[in-house]
Amino acid sequence: MSNRKIEIGRRSFLATGGALAAAQLLGGVATAQAAASTPANPATASGRRRLGTLEVSAIGMGVQNMSRTFHGTIPSRPEMIRIIRAAHDRGITFFDTAEVYGPHHCERILGEASQGFRDKIVIATKFGFNVDLETGRLNPGLISRPEHIKRAVEGSLRRLRTDRIDLLYQHRVDPTVPIEDVAGAVAQLRREGKVLHWGLSEMGLNTLRRAHAELPVAAVQNEYSMLWRGPDQSVLPVCRELGIGFVPFAPLAYGFMTGAIDADTTFAPKDYRAGTPRMSPENLPHNLALVELARSWAERKSATPGQVALAWLMAQAPWIVPIPGTTQMPHMLENVGAMAVRFTAAELDELNKAVRAIQIRGARMSPTVQAWSDVEAPPRRT
């Protein structure tokens, strides 16, 4: 990428002029400015939140790219394990993965890394993509037939080296299987003690209501960030109404909100972001106004743009738990530090108005990927 200078600047944050502030943040000590004000998001003060009845750390960790990054590189497995363990040492208790990540490899990495503290953390994984249960080959389409769900969970349990999954998501809605059938399969797994809570991701709102009526849903996982605010007007009101937690994936907009991407950035052809309209050459320069806003608030809060973006998400509701992912130790430490960033009620109102004033150009994702989102399950079988 052409933004190497910016990326190096972010990665050296803990080792240069920001080291003292970062040390304070990572130790859970707010800056003098934040400590002197009343936080608008008090639920993060204790570092714990609830997704339904499931208690987790205020920020989780996404274990998605630890087998292969957006750039196509394969990270060091021992280093990925070290990062997961370091995150746990710093208070992260919520780790999110899926059978399709790798496929299978990221579950194995998390399973190995969590040995020794498995009973002290919450593990979330997902089923729903057409992953061969034996080979891990990703085939076209989606699959949530009850018999397949049960076999998929058995595979996840083996790879995660555990006897139960704390939070099991349907990764995407299978348009051929009624959500009541999916809930029934999960309910059976709960009775067997293999699944403790369940959730959905990127589903239609009617499907969410039907699912929750059949078996209470602990969490919804959808994309949500300063760059993609679609949940504000759709799923978040339903989650608030039904008492369902919300887990934003891509809370840093695939690195956009960290300041590591500039107007001259180009992406490798296989990089997911290369086909994202909002990051296209014609739209990216305009959308960078959002990064500049985060950077200005970072100066006010003695933080980084990424920390401001994560803190903004947590401030939207006490039942929102972002799960930034990374393959870099300094990035993980920076993400953890976002839990110490506070906004007063007046500051949050000011920031929210400024965020809403910036109209994002370009669609959230390519039409091919968008086809998996907001799908409604078929009617219940009679």
Side-chain angles (χ1 to χ4, degrees):
M1 290 187 180
S2 61
N3 60 315
R4 178 176 173 79
K5 182 177 180 181
I6 293 177
E7 179 67 1
I8 290 175
R10 178 176 183 253
R11 291 178 179 177
S12 63
F13 171 81
L14 297 178
T16 56
L20 178 59
Q24 291 176 328
L25 288 169
L26 297 176
V29 180
T31 62
Q33 180 180 6
S37 61
T38 302
N41 50 333
T44 57
S46 66
R48 310 289 287 182
R49 294 192 164 201
R50 286 190 180 274
L51 303 171
T53 61
L54 182 62
E55 186 176 271
V56 297
S57 50
I59 283 181
M61 183 176 186
V63 183
Q64 177 179 1
N65 294 326
M66 287 189 163
S67 65
R68 184 178 296 273
T69 69
F70 284 125
H71 310 291
T73 59
I74 298 177
S76 162
R77 185 185 181 108
E79 178 63 9
M80 299 305 97
I81 291 171
R82 192 171 77 92
I83 290 171
I84 291 172
R85 291 175 175 171
H88 170 257
D89 290 343
R90 285 156 179 81
I92 299 301
T93 67
F94 184 36
F95 294 86
D96 179 277
T97 189
E99 64 166 353
V100 76
Y101 300 160
H104 290 177
H105 295 308
C106 290
E107 285 185 324
R108 293 191 181 104
I109 291 170
L110 179 56
E112 180 178 350
S114 61
Q115 296 306 292
F117 54 82
R118 169 62 187 99
D119 292 340
K120 299 179 180 178
I121 63 173
V122 169
I123 288 179
T125 193
K126 313 175 192 74
F127 67 87
F129 282 100
N130 191 6
V131 178
D132 187 279
L133 297 172
E134 302 302 326
T135 67
R137 177 181 177 181
L138 179 59
N139 299 306
L142 300 168
I143 181 169
S144 284
R145 294 191 301 271
E147 65 274 15
H148 182 90
I149 294 171
K150 295 171 185 178
R151 293 180 62 203
V153 165
E154 293 294 343
S156 291
L157 289 171
R158 288 194 301 271
R159 290 184 292 272
L160 290 165
R161 304 187 188 185
T162 187
D163 62 351
R164 81 280 184 192
I165 294 167
D166 301 293
L167 176 57
L168 178 70
Y169 292 100
Q170 183 187 38
H171 209 158
R172 294 293 185 272
V173 171
D174 185 336
T176 69
V177 179
I179 198 64
E180 291 81 6
D181 291 359
V182 176
V186 175
Q188 179 60 42
L189 290 165
R190 287 186 61 178
R191 287 191 291 270
E192 296 171 3
K194 296 174 181 178
V195 172
L196 303 186
H197 304 264
W198 86 302
L200 287 83
S201 179
E202 298 279 296
M203 71 287 114
L205 297 184
N206 183 52
T207 294
L208 176 58
R209 290 183 180 279
R210 289 166 52 197
H212 188 69
E214 194 73 17
L215 183 67
V217 172
V220 163
Q221 184 177 139
N222 281 20
E223 183 174 354
Y224 186 38
S225 68
M226 281 187 170
L227 186 64
W228 171 246
R229 305 187 292 272
D232 284 339
Q233 303 301 320
S234 56
V235 69
L236 287 182
V238 176
C239 286
R240 182 178 293 106
E241 173 193 343
L242 300 178
I244 297 172
F246 187 83
V247 178
F249 73 78
L252 293 172
Y254 303 101
F256 181 85
M257 291 307 307
T258 68
I261 294 172
D262 63 23
D264 297 320
T265 296
T266 57
F267 302 102
K270 292 185 178 180
D271 190 321
Y272 166 80
R273 296 167 294 185
T276 304
R278 59 191 169 179
M279 295 192 193
S280 66
E282 60 270 24
N283 293 323
L284 182 58
H286 169 84
N287 293 339
L288 284 169
L290 204 56
V291 179
E292 291 307 311
L293 174 64
R295 186 172 284 118
S296 69
W297 276 86
E299 293 177 359
R300 290 172 62 169
K301 291 295 180 180
S302 299
T304 67
Q307 288 173 335
V308 167
L310 291 172
W312 175 81
L313 281 171
M314 288 186 287
Q316 301 306 304
W319 34 267
I320 290 178
V321 182
I323 49 168
T326 186
T327 58
Q328 303 289 330
M329 183 71 79
H331 294 181
M332 183 278 289
L333 296 173
E334 182 180 334
N335 293 340
V336 172
M339 287 191 288
V341 178
R342 305 279 193 270
F343 303 114
T344 65
E347 287 174 334
L348 182 58
D349 182 62
E350 178 187 350
L351 179 55
N352 280 338
K353 288 178 179 177
V355 170
R356 288 194 295 268
I358 299 174
Q359 297 299 313
I360 303 304
R361 292 181 182 172
R364 170 193 167 200
M365 56 180 68
S366 68
T368 302
V369 178
Q370 183 66 45
W372 298 120
S373 300
D374 303 321
V375 173
E376 298 287 3
R380 186 172 195 166
R381 296 189 180 100
T382 58

